Amino acid sequence: MILVTGGAGYIGSHTVKALGEAGFRLVVFDDFSTGHPDFVRGVDVIEGNLGRMTDVQSVFDRYAIEGVVHFAGRALVGESSERPELYYETNVVGGLNLLNAMREAGVTNLIFSSTCATYGIPETENLGEDHPQRPINPYGETKLAFERAMAWFGSVHGIRHLSLRYFNAAGADAACEFGEDHAPETHLIPLVLGAAAGLRDRVEIYGTDYPTPDGTCVRDYIHVTDIADAHVTALQKLMAGTLEPQALNLGTGTGASVREVIDTVRAVTGRDFEVAESPRRRGDAPRLVALAERVAEVLGWRPAHSDLPNIVDTAWHWQLKRKKISL
């Protein structure tokens, strides 16, 4: 049995589906503060909070857990800068509760949903796994704190672990079962699609004077289905004992600017919308793009769904279904 924490969330739900299709038996643990109950289908579900050790222990008492895929946590950069205490309570204290419950139950396989936010401001054009980790916000700092705690639990208590550092997850399940539905929504592609759907007045471009080809920020967008597939491969290898503890980037190695995303949304949806230009936001790096060679070497995984038009198209059809928008 595999425990998936945060399995009712955006990336978690896609991964639960992929793991189930790969033959894994699953139990999802989620407090539904940001996840959606209707995103979890055909698996056991335990509602609980990582911050309560009794909730976490109850899962290990009830099920014979063999491995854990850990998504649960807070993930809003802006909120983390305003309320860091929430991020330390959930991402660090809650994470330690999980590690201790694993240790007590003798569970030794763990995949962690990490982030490129652990790197901070890029010192190179593309970010490799060996880039210095100097987070610039509590979100990245708390994710890094758990990576380090996991490494110590690995060396002392024998927990085999893998950190998957995502770049910009985007897109939606091709069957439109799951997609991005955050409150508040802070990610660029659903914001732009919201404008195309008439759900938002306009799209804001924050900063047009960056040292990039068109002056707007560049990001590495990776389809959420590709992320889910990487977790399946990683868990199979981890359970087979063929993976060393390490961190791997999940990205494409190719960036798209804010203007390129806007142009792609217009092309895919056939709709126009207002775009406004605003000053830079504090803490936005000009470019965040992965070096993605190591994950291909270690997992034999490469993204198969992450060209930008496909990302936008699947996300758009998810919007049409979820928001009941007419074409």
Side-chain angles (χ1 to χ4, degrees), residues 86-233:
L86 296 180
Y87 284 70
Y88 279 89
E89 289 168 1
T90 302
N91 297 353
V92 180
V93 176
L96 288 172
N97 285 342
L98 176 64
L99 287 170
N100 279 314
M102 290 180 64
R103 175 180 57 82
E104 291 173 8
V107 179
T108 58
N109 298 300
L110 174 60
I111 295 177
F112 175 48
S113 169
S114 194
T115 171
C116 65
T118 65
Y119 295 123
I121 300 297
E123 297 178 1
T124 56
E125 184 171 346
N126 286 23
L127 290 159
E129 288 87 350
D130 298 324
H131 185 283
Q133 290 179 283
R134 301 189 185 102
I136 60 173
N137 51 65
Y139 166 61
E141 193 70 60
T142 54
K143 285 286 193 174
L144 177 56
F146 185 81
E147 281 196 12
R148 289 174 170 164
M150 186 170 57
W152 281 110
F153 272 71
S155 62
V156 176
H157 300 299
I159 292 178
R160 296 195 298 268
H161 57 88
L162 181 70
S163 291
L164 295 177
R165 295 176 185 154
Y166 313 152
F167 280 67
N168 285 56
D173 172 55
C176 289
E177 291 186 271
F178 320 112
E180 285 195 83
D181 193 359
H182 302 125
E185 186 56 73
T186 61
H187 295 171
L188 178 64
I189 289 176
L191 289 174
V192 180
L193 289 171
L199 302 175
R200 309 183 71 87
D201 293 335
R202 61 184 182 179
V203 174
E204 294 278 354
I205 298 178
Y206 294 100
T208 59
D209 59 348
Y210 286 99
T212 60
D214 65 17
T216 65
C217 289
V218 171
R219 297 292 183 265
D220 187 336
Y221 294 95
I222 177 167
H223 200 290
V224 65
T225 297
D226 284 328
I227 292 176
D229 290 344
H231 281 79
V232 172
T233 301

Side-chain angles (χ1 to χ4, degrees), residues 32-51:
F32 299 109
S33 58
T34 56
H36 303 276
D38 61 317
F39 281 16
V40 185
R41 303 169 187 175
V43 301
D44 288 359
V45 179
I46 303 295
E47 185 171 356
N49 191 309
L50 280 179

